[in-house]
Amino acid sequence: MPRPMVESVNCSLIAPEALVERQPISIKLLIDNEEVAVIAVKTEGAVHVYRNQCPHQGRLLDFAPGRVLAKDDALVCAAHGAVFAMADGRCLQGPCRGESLAEYALEPQADGRLSIAGLKTSG
Ligand code: FES
């Protein structure tokens, strides 16, 4: 199956229609003038963008460059198998159970794309 192409335009814009439901992608975005590795995923029609940094040991979740394993409604870290809910980034299983991937807040733009508005804070 061909990999979906995701438009990540300068200044951290993501085109939601380019994401395929439950097929996460690992990309780099320019956030505050810094290149940041993120995972973008759409589940139940909602787009989520997480920092691609596992809370266990800080590694990328990728099993290959740009590829993150999806299992049911979860993302799986290739390093030691931590399983994170796609919908909120919470670790459901594995060595960092109870911790979460850092999620970015998204702001819809007039053209339908989403811009990164900064990291959400857990409260
Ligand atoms: S670095 Fe992700 S599970 Fe260990």
Side-chain angles (χ1 to χ4, degrees), residues 54 56-59 77 79-82 95:
C54 182
H56 179 221
Q57 290 187 343
R59 300 192 197 184
C77 179
H80 310 106

Side-chain angles (χ1 to χ4, degrees), residues 19-73:
L19 289 170
V20 176
E21 183 81 11
R22 294 190 182 97
Q23 289 188 21
I25 53 140
S26 167
I27 54 175
K28 290 186 176 151
L29 296 178
L30 195 61
I31 300 173
D32 293 334
N33 290 320
E34 201 173 309
E35 194 175 78
V36 179
V38 302
I39 297 167
V41 65
K42 181 159 56 177
T43 181
E44 307 282 330
V47 174
H48 299 275
V49 176
Y50 299 104
R51 182 184 283 168
N52 191 352
Q53 184 176 41
C54 182
H56 179 221
Q57 290 187 343
R59 300 192 197 184
L60 297 176
L61 275 69
D62 301 22
F63 68 88
R67 312 278 317 259
V68 175
L69 183 63
K71 183 180 168 202
D72 301 324
D73 291 330

